[in-house]
Amino acid sequence: MRFPPLAPVEPPALQNKPTSIWAKDPMEVKRTMLIVFARVLILFITVLILLRVTGKKQVANLQPAELVTLVMVADVAAIPMTSPGTPLVNGIVGIFALLLMQFTLSYITMKSTRSRAIISGRPTNVIVNGKIVEESLQELRYNINDLLEQLRAAGYPAIQDVEWAVLETNGQLSVIPKSQKRPVTPEDLGISTQYEGLPVPLIVDGNPDKHNLERIGLDMNWLLAELKKHGVSRPKDVLYASIDTQGNFYCQPKSTIKESSA
Amino acid sequence: MKRRSSSTWILVGLWFVALSIVLGTWWIIAAQTKVAHELAQRIEGIEAEVLNGDWENASQLIRELMIRWEKTRQVWAFHTEHAEMDEVTDALIEAEALIAANEAGALAPLRKARDRIVTLPQRDRLDLENLF
């Protein structure tokens, strides 16, 4: 194919051409900073939602699938966070996919014991009746030093004190000591004890918890009367107040109130 | 009727959103392909004008194309890598400048822009080539 003859280039004419609609903006750098800032906020909220939906145990005890989710979510969120050229939706869809997989696996493991064993594994006995199970250690590729370390961390430096030790699916070692080595309980001594429930918070940071008051069959009038007994006129002046299962009322006024009254 | 737990409803909701994402992506790719072909046809028209040596008409057509591309780019920016679209923009700017200078070399950036535009929706398609 033959091209038409080349015309001479006229630089002044080119320079006089109207500015392109893609002309560089001097504020471009600052805009990029703002984009990164906004993206970090959006992705932070997205990741927070993911962690809230996946459950509280996520932070404390990680099952293999949960660990994978946490490791991957950091990477998936980091790419669109730091690269303004990557569409934000790519990161959000990635995080959503992780959330979907994690939630689905949690649901399956909750409903089926067999799939639970496949996805999360099974707890393994590493000490049975005071004896180390060598087969278990070999199967888990878990050496005796690691076992001793975890036993010491659990408060049992001597293996002879341990009846059972179970390596849980989240990697923690549960230790059941021999009956002669466990702490003495009131039951062992034949001492009767009273019921001890949890104290119920009634005022936190000056805010009365009406839900808790209703739950234990009390009301604001009772609370105000109790506060008066402790020399406090308003719930707003209380840092923390609670009631235990024996009916003992605890009240700590805010320090500013104490100082002003003194 | 057996009452389902909130976990079940959340799971159903998540899978519903996942299905919506899949269908939405399929729809976006279909729409993107359609627009890409329209833009490619426009570029072919400009290429023909360049080959005919009709620089005035070619200049007018590329100006219109650039305005159309800018609008398209703003929509595609939601789901397409910006760097890939910048390549098209750069090629079109180059072609515009060469056409303004009555240079037949404008055919090269035009061909590049056409190829990139047609390729963009293909990169988002869920197929083995893109997966691996």
Side-chain angles (χ1 to χ4, degrees):
Chain A
M1 188 179 289
R2 289 180 66 85
F3 292 121
L6 297 178
V9 180
E10 294 170 13
L14 269 177
Q15 281 167 9
N16 291 335
K17 288 288 290 177
T19 315
S20 169
I21 47 174
W22 293 287
K24 294 287 177 195
D25 189 339
M27 296 294 282
E28 198 173 343
V29 178
K30 280 185 184 171
R31 205 179 292 154
T32 307
M33 283 161 63
L34 285 176
I35 289 168
V36 170
F37 183 77
R39 283 177 168 220
V40 168
L41 294 185
I42 294 168
L43 288 165
F44 177 82
I45 293 166
T46 312
V47 174
L48 189 67
I49 292 169
L50 177 134
L51 293 180
R52 287 286 293 112
V53 174
T54 48
K56 286 177 185 169
K57 63 175 180 167
Q58 193 80 17
V59 183
N61 304 317
L62 294 174
Q63 294 292 336
E66 292 158 357
L67 181 66
V68 170
T69 306
L70 271 193
V71 169
M72 285 182 77
V73 78
D75 269 353
V76 171
I79 296 166
M81 205 185 282
T82 51
S83 317
T86 304
L88 184 61
V89 74
N90 287 3
I92 293 173
V93 167
I95 293 169
F96 175 80
L98 287 171
L99 168 69
L100 182 72
M101 282 313 297
Q102 214 285 318
F103 205 92
T104 306
L105 286 178
S106 299
Y107 192 83
I108 292 169
T109 51
M110 189 176 72
K111 296 283 177 188
S112 155
T113 340
R114 189 176 288 179
S115 57
R116 194 179 307 159
I118 295 168
I119 294 164
S120 302
R122 283 198 173 98
T124 310
N125 297 323
V126 286
I127 297 177
V128 175
N129 295 325
K131 293 215 164 155
I132 297 171
V133 185
E134 284 183 61
E135 296 80 30
S136 295
L137 295 186
Q138 281 169 3
E139 195 184 310
L140 296 165
R141 292 174 302 281
Y142 185 60
N143 62 51
I144 293 182
N145 289 343
D146 288 343
L147 174 64
L148 292 173
E149 189 182 317
Q150 285 201 275
L151 283 174
R152 284 195 298 273
Y156 298 96
I159 281 194
Q160 55 268 33
D161 296 346
V162 178
E163 189 74 62
W164 284 74
V166 183
L167 193 66
E168 306 292 355
T169 52
N170 59 14
Q172 285 190 334
L173 190 72
S174 300
V175 185
I176 295 106
K178 287 185 174 163
S179 55
Q180 289 297 308
K181 298 291 178 181
R182 65 174 162 77
V184 179
T185 61
E187 195 181 359
D188 293 334
L189 301 171
I191 301 168
S192 63
T193 52
Q194 283 187 320
Y195 169 74
E196 278 178 17
L198 278 176
V200 181
L202 298 177
I203 301 174
V204 177
D205 262 336
N207 299 310
D209 193 327
K210 288 178 183 168
H211 174 74
N212 278 351
L213 275 171
E214 274 174 31
R215 198 159 57 87
I216 56 174
L218 299 170
D219 56 17
M220 278 301 287
N221 293 332
W222 174 87
L223 183 64
L224 290 170
E226 283 296 318
L227 290 179
K228 205 168 262 180
K229 284 183 204 168
H230 287 78
V232 183
S233 55
R234 302 175 302 175
K236 213 174 137 184
D237 301 334
V238 177
L239 183 69
Y240 180 72
S242 66
I243 187 165
D244 65 18
T245 45
Q246 269 77 50
N248 299 317
F249 184 75
Y250 172 83
C251 171
Q252 183 181 331
K254 285 182 180 172
S255 56
T256 47
I257 306 300
K258 274 194 267 185
E259 281 163 16
S260 60
S261 58
Chain B
M1 195 176 142
K2 196 180 167 188
R3 193 170 173 271
R4 297 207 175 273
S5 67
S6 59
S7 296
T8 309
W9 288 117
I10 294 173
L11 186 71
V12 170
L14 287 175
W15 277 101
F16 179 76
V17 175
L19 186 68
S20 307
I21 290 173
V22 171
L23 292 176
T25 309
W26 179 80
W27 180 80
I28 286 170
I29 292 171
Q32 202 178 9
T33 308
K34 199 177 161 190
V35 174
H37 280 295
E38 185 222 309
L39 290 166
Q41 277 180 350
R42 281 182 180 228
I43 295 174
E44 279 171 12
I46 299 167
E47 284 173 1
E49 296 299 332
V50 170
L51 284 171
N52 293 334
D54 189 349
W55 300 108
E56 203 171 307
N57 202 18
S59 191
Q60 174 63 26
L61 287 176
I62 197 162
R63 193 76 199 147
E64 286 171 13
L65 174 73
M66 286 171 87
I67 291 165
R68 174 79 173 98
W69 167 243
E70 175 60 10
K71 283 180 185 164
T72 308
R73 190 174 165 273
Q74 284 172 2
V75 178
W76 286 10
F78 283 103
H79 49 80
T80 307
E81 284 284 336
H82 299 186
E84 289 173 6
M85 292 191 298
D86 287 346
E87 284 183 23
V88 176
T89 307
D90 290 346
L92 289 179
I93 290 171
E94 196 183 339
E96 186 193 24
L98 287 168
I99 288 170
N102 298 353
E103 284 263 21
L107 283 171
L110 281 173
R111 177 67 62 84
K112 184 184 172 185
R114 180 155 60 94
D115 181 64
R116 290 279 191 271
I117 287 173
V118 174
T119 316
L120 280 176
Q122 289 170 2
R123 289 187 185 184
D124 291 335
R125 203 169 285 162
L126 184 64
D127 54 24
L128 288 175
E129 191 188 342
N130 286 334
L131 269 178
F132 297 101

